[in-house]
Amino acid sequence: MILPTLVNHLRHVAPGVLIEAVKISTDSARRLESGEIDMAVGFMPDLEAGVYQQKLSDQSFVCLASQRHTRAKSKPSKRSFLAEGHIVVTTSGTGHVIVDKVLAQKGYKRRVVLKLPSFLGVARIVAQTELLVIVPRRLGEALALNERVRVFDPPLSLPSYSVKQHWHERFHADAGNVWLRRTIAELLRK
C-alpha cells in the first residue's frame, strides 16, 4: 500500500535508491537480523525480540463483493454472510490470520471456496465471481478504485490492528535505516 507513494517520493529526493520488496514470511525476523532486509512493514505480531517497531497507522477490516453480486447488494446478515462463498488469503508471517482466529473463537465458520497465497489478483477474482473476501480497509478501498467491487463492513465484529515498521536493533543507528524509517513514517502521516 505504501510502495507507490514511497517510489514517487524517492524519484524526487533520492533517484538512485533501489527499493526491493520481498514477501513477508516467518523468516522475516532472521532476515532483519542478518541485514538481508532493512525493514518489514505491516502487521507482524511475531516480530518482537530484538526488533524495534514504530506504529504507522491503525487499520480495520472490510469485505469486498462484486458490484454484480445480487445477494450482497446491502449489508448481509451474519448468517447469510457466513453462508456465502469466501476467499481466504493465507499470507504467512502476517497478522491476517487474526480474522480466522476471531471467527473461530466466536464459533463462526465461513464457507471457504478458495484459498490464495497473497492479495495479488484477489479483487479481480471477486469482481468476476460471487465470492466475498475480507481484507484490510486501506487495501480494500484501493482495490475498489480499480475493480468493479464494492466495499462494506463485515456484519461481524473484527478487531482493529496496528500497522508498524520493524527493524532489527543491530541497525537502529544505521544512517540509511534511520533515513528510510523517517521517510516512510512521514509519508504515511500525509
Side-chain angles (χ1 to χ4, degrees):
M1 292 303 303
I2 67 166
L3 283 175
T5 303
L6 180 61
V7 169
N8 285 334
H9 177 76
L10 293 178
R11 285 184 57 217
H12 298 289
V13 300
V17 170
L18 166 69
I19 298 293
E20 181 180 353
V22 297
K23 187 175 179 181
I24 295 168
S25 71
T26 54
D27 200 30
S28 293
R30 183 200 59 78
R31 295 180 76 196
L32 282 168
E33 182 179 9
S34 72
E36 283 180 62
I37 58 176
D38 297 308
M39 186 164 317
V41 179
F43 176 61
M44 295 157 279
D46 295 337
L47 286 182
E48 296 292 329
V51 177
Y52 284 95
Q53 52 188 284
Q54 177 186 20
K55 179 179 164 183
L56 298 171
S57 67
D58 288 316
Q59 189 68 258
S60 60
F61 291 102
V62 295
C63 189
L64 298 182
S66 170
Q67 290 179 357
R68 298 180 304 201
H69 192 308
T70 55
R71 292 176 310 282
K73 289 289 184 195
S74 59
K75 187 174 176 180
S77 68
K78 286 180 191 175
R79 186 178 196 165
S80 63
F81 177 78
L82 294 169
E84 289 291 335
H86 286 256
I87 299 171
V88 173
V89 179
T90 60
T91 53
S92 66
T94 70
H96 192 68
V97 295
I98 64 172
V99 170
D100 288 315
K101 286 181 182 176
V102 167
L103 294 179
Q105 288 170 353
K106 294 182 178 188
Y108 298 134
K109 184 160 175 59
R110 293 185 284 176
R111 190 172 68 83
V112 177
V113 173
L114 177 62
K115 290 185 177 185
L116 298 173
S118 75
F119 291 105
L120 187 63
V122 75
R124 171 71 43 101
I125 295 167
V126 168
Q128 295 179 6
T129 66
E130 288 198 343
L131 299 177
L132 306 179
V133 67
I134 296 172
V135 298
R137 181 174 297 279
R138 283 183 69 180
L139 175 62
E141 291 169 351
L143 293 174
L145 296 174
N146 297 310
E147 291 291 345
R148 297 186 55 81
V149 297
R150 70 179 195 84
V151 177
F152 63 93
D153 291 325
L156 316 162
S157 178
L158 295 173
S160 60
Y161 61 94
S162 295
V163 174
K164 300 176 183 179
Q165 58 182 344
H166 304 79
W167 63 97
H168 196 270
E169 63 189 357
R170 288 181 51 212
F171 303 98
H172 184 64
D174 177 83
N177 196 288
V178 170
W179 174 81
L180 182 59
R181 293 191 313 259
R182 286 184 183 152
T183 300
I184 290 172
E186 288 171 11
L187 290 173
L188 287 180
R189 281 190 205 116
K190 293 180 181 182

